[in-house]
Amino acid sequence: MKFDNVRAITSNFLLLAVTICSALPKDIAEDVESLDGPPFLADLRDQCRNTTGDDRTFNELKEHVSTDLPKCFMAHVNIDQLKTDTSKLDEQEKKKLFEKICDQINESVTCLTPVKAKLKPCLDEEDVKIMEQVVATVPEALSMACINSGALLQKFTEPAYRSCAMELPPMIEECTSELPDSMESLPFSQYAEKQCGAIYSMRDCFVRRIKECGATGYMDFFILFYRKLLALTPCK
């Protein structure tokens, strides 16, 4: 069975959002481990098994994401700065801190290169296009988070944003659950009115759920990925 294209886009939205949150004063490894549960990883495991014939590639990918990826991230980012109690800083000090953090996080984008290489054997041609689109969007998303001395990034230190990050996996399940089965194997270029309508409904679900969890800053990231999704289809 082909890996669900739409879920691939939204799952990467989840990964980016949680990764950015985990890049702030908290245990990074703890957040990476929390990504083990969402059903989209089970889908990816099946996809890897069907494509390669066994679970070796998926297990190597999972091991890299849970071990090597955090190490790479921490090699680029000053962990002590990430653990700074920002509540004790004045606005100017916060501004300088988040400017430094943003520079470091932008440098850490290189850590995605080996992830791409390990993921690629699991994907068909259509899914590789999705992966390339998503990875190409990461610098743009980070730039968005770091505008105005990391104003949006600062919001991710707030309890509401951390709480909402934990709601993202079930949110993805809810908002993609009504997508028709026909979308699972249909190339994006062949989407018609039915598939486009399903995407619009998914969008409305995400908008509603993000507003409900009270962390509207995530909306900017979702819209960014949503536009990337639309760009792959005839949908407007």
Side-chain angles (χ1 to χ4, degrees):
M1 182 177 70
K2 191 177 185 300
F3 189 40
D4 188 327
N5 288 335
V6 177
R7 184 171 290 178
I9 291 283
T10 52
S11 296
N12 278 281
F13 158 65
L14 160 70
L15 285 168
L16 177 63
V18 175
T19 298
I20 290 177
C21 278
S22 69
L24 297 165
K26 200 181 176 192
D27 187 341
I28 296 171
E30 176 184 322
D31 280 307
V32 173
E33 286 296 322
S34 72
L35 295 177
D36 188 51
F40 74 84
L41 277 186
D43 294 341
L44 180 56
R45 180 188 290 109
D46 291 341
Q47 172 72 6
C48 288
R49 183 181 297 150
N50 292 338
T51 304
T52 66
D54 56 41
D55 288 336
R56 186 185 313 164
T57 301
F58 175 81
N59 289 335
E60 289 178 358
L61 172 64
K62 182 180 175 183
E63 175 67 19
H64 181 84
V65 170
S66 63
T67 304
D68 295 335
L69 182 59
K71 287 180 180 177
C72 180
F73 180 85
M74 288 185 283
H76 286 85
V77 179
N78 186 316
I79 301 303
D80 289 335
Q81 287 181 346
L82 294 183
K83 294 180 178 179
T84 301
D85 185 353
T86 56
S87 65
K88 297 180 180 179
L89 302 179
D90 61 32
E91 290 305 312
Q92 191 61 30
E93 289 172 329
K94 280 185 182 180
K95 178 180 177 180
K96 290 182 179 179
L97 173 65
F98 280 96
E99 285 176 349
K100 290 179 181 178
I101 290 175
C102 281
D103 287 342
Q104 294 167 7
I105 292 177
N106 277 315
E107 291 176 1
S108 73
V109 171
T110 58
C111 297
L112 294 178
T113 300
V115 177
K116 285 173 53 180
K118 290 183 178 297
L119 180 58
K120 197 169 184 178
C122 296
L123 307 178
D124 63 18
E125 185 176 348
E126 183 86 359
D127 290 327
V128 170
K129 290 179 182 178
I130 296 171
M131 178 182 69
E132 295 293 348
Q133 282 272 27
V134 170
V135 172
T137 306
V138 171
E140 186 178 349
L142 291 176
S143 177
M144 181 190 301
C146 289
I147 290 174
N148 296 327
S149 303
L152 183 56
L153 199 62
Q154 291 183 50
K155 284 185 174 291
F156 292 151
T157 64
E158 299 173 4
Y161 277 77
R162 291 201 179 280
S163 176
C164 191
M166 296 303 101
E167 293 182 33
L168 289 173
M171 189 186 301
I172 286 178
E173 285 304 299
E174 175 186 340
C175 294
T176 61
S177 62
E178 299 301 319
L179 294 174
D181 293 340
S182 61
M183 296 178 70
E184 197 166 297
S185 57
L186 190 67
F188 281 133
S189 60
Q190 296 180 23
Y191 277 16
E193 184 176 352
K194 179 181 179 181
Q195 289 78 29
C196 291
I199 290 178
Y200 303 149
S201 295
M202 180 195 72
R203 173 202 61 199
D204 294 342
C205 176
F206 271 105
V207 169
R208 174 178 55 81
R209 292 286 282 109
I210 290 173
K211 286 181 178 178
E212 287 175 353
C213 77
T216 54
Y218 286 128
M219 194 78 73
D220 296 331
F221 289 103
F222 172 70
I223 294 301
L224 179 62
F225 281 91
Y226 175 73
R227 287 173 178 166
K228 288 294 182 181
L229 171 61
L230 284 191
L232 294 169
T233 75
C235 308
K236 303 298 182 183

